[in-house]
Amino acid sequence: MNRCILRPLLTSLALCAPLVAQAKMPDYRGGVQIIGEAEDQSTARGTVFRDVNRNSRMDDGERGIGGVLVSNGRDVVVTQEDGTYSLPAYDDMNLFITKPRDRAVPVNDDLVPQFFYIHKRAGSPDLRFGGLDPTGPLPAEINFPLVGDPVGDRFECLIFGDAQTYSNTEVGYVRETVGRMLTSRDLSETECLIFEGDVMGDDLSLYPRLKRIVAIGGVPQYFVAGNHDVDFDAETDQDSFDTFRREWGPEYYSFDIGDVHFVVLDNVRYPCNGVDDHPFCAPGTEPTYNAVISDRQMTWLAADLAQVPEDKLIVLNAHIPFQTFTDNTSPKGQTDNFAALVALLGDRPVLGLSGHTHTTENLRPGTSYEGWEEHTGLAAAPFHQIVTGAVSGSWWAGDRNDAGVPHGTQRLGAPRGYYSLTFDGPDYVDTYNTFATGPDEQLHAAFSTPRFRDWAWKLFAYTILYDTPSDIMPPVSINDLGDMYMLTTRDLQRDENGNGGSWVAVNVWNGGLDTQVEISLNGGPAMAGRLLQPGQGEAKRSGIDYADPLALARQSTQSDATIRSFQGGDETAGYRMWDGTEWVGVAGPFPRWMLSNSSNHLWRIDLPTDLPVGVHRIDVRATDYHGRTFDRSYPFEIVEQLPEPHWQKQFWEEPD
């Protein structure tokens, strides 16, 4: 795509200016061509054509393109040599093409690809956020324009987990994270932005503003439907994503870039009540969702894959994970019919991407945890899966960082961030990126000492006894933890059974079974780390010994909850979470379920008991399954006893 144009939707901002990151600027604006009214309302017809003059209309002399996949969301056909197609039509149908490699579809002013026509004759039922307007009768022709876009096999896509914005304040946080990143990152090789669902936090009226913010990157944006993107007042699953469809397009579809076949799935059934066989889906209970891929999608996917070479990389995108460590025993947090999906995929090379849990999980093939076989039909990961974390982190919670955005440290300890996937043919490299650090920073390390574990025990006990936020003063705060990188000689000692002592806890944010972690002390020999959650079918290990000290410290004390002013009164006191829940009162911790008391990417290396008093250096190295190494070094101190941390006023007192 052409790299430098002035984008009208950004008013006077020219993104090709030298001081702004380069991007592949889609200068192909337009949409699908709709003509007339069909005499035969049972058949959809049209042409996929080469749009030479880029006006989104099939003009005289413009030729059709053969070999393009067209679907009605159930059947898939291949266009004839002249670009024509015909498909059975039905009401409430998404008609769409699979964008071929080295071609581009038009985008709208918000850079959302226009590869679809939604047919819903009477429109949506009366929905809070409007849903779909009536389309009326089926058109006589539905024509899909394409232009050449020779991307080649080497390109990048950026992957974003849950932005989950519940308010305009939180949409502003997206601007200050995703928006700022997109204006400063080199996007010259970036071909797509994919949002893995929960784009919104229930308030779907915020879609347009977020869409405009993301468009500043100048890269086509694709979207997955999440459980917080549904029309909650819809009475059937058929209508539940109508507002999503109006803003973004089909709930499921596919597209090709380079040697990769991207598949977007909808695995959120809402409401599931009376449909799925789970207690939470029972008739008469409060409407809720379930993670399952519908029969119609499975029919479509089988037809779609039948046209895709067996050796082509499939990148599956869904909101709710296929399998997850975070919700490993949850029937609601993993995909019911995952085993059937895997059987359909066969031996194809596959990468699975998802969101939902607000955690990063790099699940290499063969990883296994308790609960997976029962709830997904498979005991181990059949292919590489990545749970992509969340733009919002832990739901935009926590004190604000230097950018004025809540730190939102995630439950498994990783900072808020996003993934970059760089493709070279069917091969790819996955990298986790935070919004505050470069791609070479992939880990953090801290010390689990007896002092930390005593502090953490008191913190956990408080969160068991009281809901948070609470007006009850917590027994400890981050201030009581003191200097985490100062240890006493007593902190190093173990009893006769080897209990106690201190260890280094290393959190590799994108780590997994194939990651190796080691440390060296003061330039000495390497000491191998032990993955605390080895992923060999075991139950989740949680508690003080499995906590991430640095993440837990950040999650322990939310000072912003105490903010009050005379001018703002109750309106600006503390801060707001989710659907208006007020976090006001004492500076307590995150709720217990949000604390980093377990992680599947945390390593432990025990410290020697005989480290002498003084300043020491620890060098941490992580080697990922791509063979890349990431290093980080920390100074720390060993003391006989902890010194007075505050102003030593005794030196300034007059003697009696």
Side-chain angles (χ1 to χ4, degrees):
M1 295 179 179
N2 291 346
R3 299 187 181 220
C4 279
I5 63 162
L6 186 63
R7 303 222 341 259
L9 78 160
L10 298 175
T11 61
S12 62
L13 178 60
L15 289 189
C16 54
L19 296 181
V20 183
Q22 286 188 339
K24 287 196 171 182
M25 311 298 287
D27 59 349
Y28 182 36
R29 303 305 175 89
V32 174
Q33 183 184 24
I34 306 301
I35 299 175
E37 179 180 330
E39 293 183 7
D40 177 6
Q41 289 287 304
S42 66
T43 303
R45 292 184 171 86
T47 304
V48 178
F49 67 98
R50 186 177 291 102
D51 190 11
V52 177
N53 60 7
R54 297 180 174 233
N55 66 354
S56 296
R57 296 193 301 271
M58 189 172 182
D59 298 312
D60 292 342
E62 292 183 331
R63 298 168 56 188
I65 302 174
V68 179
L69 304 186
V70 188
S71 179
N72 59 9
R74 186 176 58 203
D75 310 289
V76 176
V77 297
V78 180
T79 57
Q80 301 294 319
E81 187 176 351
D82 63 356
T84 59
Y85 71 89
S86 64
L87 275 162
Y90 55 94
D91 194 28
D92 212 350
M93 167 188 72
N94 296 325
L95 190 73
F96 56 90
I97 65 168
T98 295
K99 185 194 81 65
R101 65 166 295 160
D102 294 332
R103 294 194 183 275
V105 298
V107 296
N108 65 14
D109 282 345
D110 295 316
L111 275 69
V112 177
Q114 301 298 294
F115 59 93
F116 57 87
Y117 169 73
I118 297 174
H119 178 62
K120 192 158 185 165
R121 187 165 185 143
S124 300
D126 185 21
L127 296 174
R128 180 183 297 113
F129 296 108
L132 292 162
D133 290 333
T135 61
L138 187 72
E141 293 183 39
I142 303 164
N143 298 329
F144 295 97
L146 290 172
V147 296
D149 185 26
V151 173
D153 290 338
R154 298 172 65 93
F155 65 95
E156 173 190 65
C157 285
L158 304 183
I159 315 298
F160 303 91
D162 310 39
Q164 203 158 337
T165 53
Y166 287 89
S167 66
N168 273 298
T169 294
E170 293 180 352
V171 176
Y173 295 152
V174 173
R175 183 193 64 232
E176 296 305 302
T177 52
V178 177
R180 285 202 179 198
M181 179 274 292
L182 292 174
T183 58
S184 59
R185 182 187 176 100
D186 180 3
L187 300 171
S188 59
E189 301 300 323
T190 308
E191 292 296 328
C192 66
L193 312 177
I194 303 178
F195 286 77
E196 300 292 344
D198 280 2
V199 187
M200 287 292 108
D202 305 343
D203 183 352
L204 308 187
S205 72
L206 300 175
Y207 272 144
R209 183 180 170 210
L210 184 139
K211 194 185 302 185
R212 291 191 295 270
I213 288 170
V214 176
I216 199 169
V219 179
Q221 42 182 314
Y222 294 86
F223 291 84
V224 179
N227 56 288
H228 286 281
D229 296 312
V230 302
D231 287 289
F232 282 109
D233 48 346
E235 296 183 357
T236 68
D237 185 53
Q238 187 70 25
D239 301 319
S240 65
F241 279 126
D242 278 4
T243 300
F244 177 93
R245 292 163 75 195
R246 183 191 74 213
E247 297 291 332
W248 309 111
E251 318 94 298
Y252 58 93
Y253 53 94
S254 63
F255 60 96
D256 286 348
I257 304 175
D259 202 28
V260 183
H261 186 64
F262 292 86
V263 174
V264 171
L265 295 173
D266 163 20
N267 67 345
V268 179
R269 176 175 285 157
Y270 176 89
C272 65
N273 306 71
V275 181
D276 292 321
D277 187 21
H278 293 295
F280 57 85
C281 294
T285 58
E286 184 175 352
T288 190
Y289 66 89
N290 181 41
V292 64
I293 301 167
S294 67
D295 292 342
R296 186 173 73 174
Q297 279 184 87
M298 295 291 278
T299 299
W300 163 76
L301 183 58
D304 177 85
L305 293 176
Q307 303 296 332
V308 178
E310 291 278 344
D311 59 349
K312 196 179 188 76
L313 175 65
I314 308 298
V315 176
L316 290 180
N317 299 267
H319 174 61
I320 301 174
F322 305 112
Q323 296 172 309
T324 170
F325 166 77
T326 302
D327 294 328
N328 63 306
T329 59
S330 168
K332 192 176 184 179
Q334 303 175 99
T335 303
D336 275 3
N337 54 346
F338 182 46
L341 175 64
V342 170
L344 183 61
L345 291 163
D347 295 328
R348 297 170 182 272
V350 177
L351 168 64
L353 304 175
S354 63
H356 188 62
T357 59
H358 296 243
T359 57
T360 58
E361 300 180 30
N362 196 319
L363 305 174
R364 298 291 295 155
T367 305
S368 178
Y369 297 111
E370 177 189 56
W372 280 10
E373 185 168 20
E374 177 183 358
H375 299 302
T376 73
L378 295 171
F383 51 74
H384 188 194
Q385 301 170 55
I386 299 176
V387 183
T388 59
V391 171
S392 61
S394 283
W395 294 267
W396 304 113
D399 290 346
R400 283 169 281 191
N401 60 19
D402 290 345
V405 179
H407 65 78
T409 300
Q410 298 179 86
R411 288 186 281 172
L412 302 187
R416 289 183 297 98
Y418 64 99
Y419 273 85
S420 59
L421 293 176
T422 55
F423 295 94
D424 186 355
D427 300 321
Y428 61 90
V429 175
D430 50 287
T431 304
Y432 187 66
N433 303 265
T434 78
F435 292 107
T437 60
D440 290 335
E441 192 165 324
Q442 292 289 315
L443 60 89
H444 63 244
F447 296 97
S448 179
T449 63
R451 176 163 49 98
F452 162 76
R453 295 192 292 275
D454 178 68
W455 173 90
W457 184 89
K458 294 171 184 174
L459 185 76
F460 288 154
Y462 173 82
T463 61
I464 293 171
L465 290 172
Y466 304 105
D467 292 331
T468 52
S470 170
D471 289 330
I472 306 297
M473 186 75 69
V476 290
S477 74
I478 193 171
N479 291 345
D480 301 297
L481 183 56
D483 189 339
M484 296 181 67
Y485 294 88
M486 178 180 283
L487 292 72
T488 67
T489 53
R490 186 173 180 180
D491 286 336
L492 301 175
Q493 303 310 306
R494 301 187 182 92
D495 63 23
E496 62 276 9
N497 297 317
N499 298 318
S502 298
W503 60 84
V504 183
V506 179
N507 194 319
V508 184
W509 308 324
N510 191 33
L513 294 191
D514 298 334
T515 304
Q516 303 299 317
V517 173
E518 60 186 29
I519 70 166
S520 64
L521 293 170
N522 303 315
M527 304 163 60
R530 172 168 59 90
L531 182 58
L532 291 177
Q533 195 76 57
Q536 298 175 351
E538 76 277 4
K540 182 179 291 183
R541 299 170 179 175
S542 63
I544 295 170
D545 287 350
Y546 303 98
D548 179 337
L550 187 61
L552 191 61
R554 291 169 175 161
Q555 297 161 342
S556 70
T557 307
Q558 310 315 313
S559 302
D560 277 5
T562 66
I563 295 174
R564 293 190 73 87
S565 69
F566 178 79
Q567 176 175 314
D570 291 341
E571 287 298 313
T572 60
Y575 63 100
R576 306 296 185 270
M577 289 290 298
W578 301 303
D579 53 356
T581 301
E582 296 181 348
W583 284 35
V584 180
V586 299
F590 284 0
R592 185 168 182 244
W593 63 272
M594 289 170 63
L595 299 177
S596 295
N597 65 350
S598 67
S599 180
N600 71 332
H601 43 79
L602 190 70
W603 281 258
R604 169 176 170 168
I605 307 97
D606 291 337
L607 288 174
T609 60
D610 59 353
L611 278 175
V613 169
V615 180
H616 299 268
R617 173 186 175 121
I618 181 173
D619 296 308
V620 185
R621 168 165 288 186
T623 305
D624 69 9
Y625 75 101
H626 298 295
R628 298 178 297 178
T629 58
F630 302 99
D631 299 294
R632 194 163 183 182
S633 298
Y634 297 84
F636 68 100
E637 296 176 80
I638 303 292
V639 296
E640 288 290 353
Q641 62 181 19
L642 295 174
E644 168 60 44
H646 305 302
W647 172 252
Q648 300 183 86
K649 62 182 179 180
Q650 70 270 19
F651 293 121
W652 305 90
E653 293 175 344
E654 295 291 335
D656 293 336

